[in-house]
Amino acid sequence: MVENILDVQNLYVEYKNMHQGKVSKIHAVNGVDLKLNKGEILAVAGESGCGKSTLAKAIIKLVPYNSGKIFFLGKDISSQKFVKEIQMIFQNPYASLNPKMKILDILKEPLKINTDFSDSQITSKVFEIAQKVGIDEKSLSLYPHEFSGGQRQRIAIARALILNPALVLADEPVSALDVSIQAQIINLLKDLKDSLNLTILFISHDLSVIKYLADRVAIMYLGEIVEAGLTDEIFYNHKHPYTKALLSAVPKINDIDKQRIILSGDLPSAENLPSGCKFYSRCPYCMSKCRESVPNNVRISDTHFVKCFLSVI
Ligand code: SF4
């Protein structure tokens, strides 16, 4: 039976922005719905500033949300202070590890705080997870600055997994790494997902990585999910003009759109969202009704939907 891990319903997140004494609202996440089942990797893709990291931070309660619901393992997270079964891997592994602590202590800490394990049980758990992520036991007595970027991200992954979380949020986990190291970390995540049946919400702007790793993909634009589906549906049967433009910019996904689509028109500010379709100012197919009415989700298949009037023409 499919086990639902995460169910986000009609989520809105706004930030307040103060400029020259005036307070305005930044609409970071605008009515997002998504579901994630056990053992799946759902990738959320989009340009910088589209709201994908804010969405992850709202799920793990690092930022408050204004309205909507987040159900984790069937429970509304608004009534819970901290959800230890959700863990996060951040973009910059150096900034996310305490430079004054040895790796052994960094990995022990979550178990000391959240479990009743004895010290020897904790140490053996640390050795076990270190081995799974490819860090040898001798290195556990070192400090974060003594590792390379790729090794530091392995340590950050180990720390995220040591409590055996039901959900891992990975926010651009390879974008701060050298290209040669990125592949190792992506392969590590894929292996861990398969061996531990991990459920991962994978935030990334890198569609090549997403194509390799994800089971499903959600495309986000100005805080909305404009298209979502199985990875093959998004890469080979996409319907939204924004998805098409994003994919056209990926080098060497050799069997799809060969000609790059350069979007003209201004990216609207998240402070003053346009009426109608939020993509209309940049859309090469914009029609008059796109400026006036908001397109609804149109179902293309049981697993694929798109938010665009073109799909119903
Ligand atoms: Fe373009 Fe209109 Fe579709 Fe929006 S609804 S993506 S403006 S065609």
Side-chain angles (χ1 to χ4, degrees), residues 239-242 276-287 289-291 293-295 307-311 313:
K239 301 291 181 192
H240 199 284
Y242 179 61
C277 172
K278 293 188 176 51
F279 188 56
Y280 84 71
S281 62
R282 302 168 81 197
C283 181
Y285 309 98
C286 179
M287 304 166 278
K289 70 171 171 180
C290 304
R291 298 166 200 272
S293 313
V294 177
K307 207 171 198 175
C308 173
F309 290 123
L310 279 180
S311 57
I313 289 174

Side-chain angles (χ1 to χ4, degrees), residues 36 39-44 89 153 157 168-175 182-195 198-218 229-232 235-236 253:
L36 190 46
E40 270 192 320
I41 298 184
L42 170 64
V44 180
I89 302 165
Q153 196 57 300
I157 291 169
V168 176
L169 309 177
D171 187 7
E172 302 274 10
V174 295
S175 56
Q182 288 184 4
Q184 293 176 17
I185 298 298
I186 291 299
N187 282 328
L188 173 66
L189 282 173
K190 198 171 174 65
D191 291 346
L192 290 170
K193 183 249 180 184
D194 292 340
S195 61
L198 290 179
T199 308
I200 303 177
L201 185 71
F202 187 83
I203 307 289
S204 180
H205 66 278
D206 189 331
L207 287 157
S208 309
V209 168
I210 285 173
K211 184 168 186 271
Y212 177 67
L213 196 63
D215 301 299
R216 289 191 295 123
V217 183
L230 300 176
T231 302
D232 277 356
F235 278 83
Y236 298 112
I253 292 185

Side-chain angles (χ1 to χ4, degrees), residues 144-167:
H145 72 270
E146 297 177 89
F147 291 86
S148 67
Q151 285 173 313
R152 280 197 286 266
Q153 196 57 300
R154 286 175 190 269
I155 295 160
I157 291 169
R159 189 186 52 183
L161 299 185
I162 200 150
L163 286 175
N164 198 18
L167 174 63

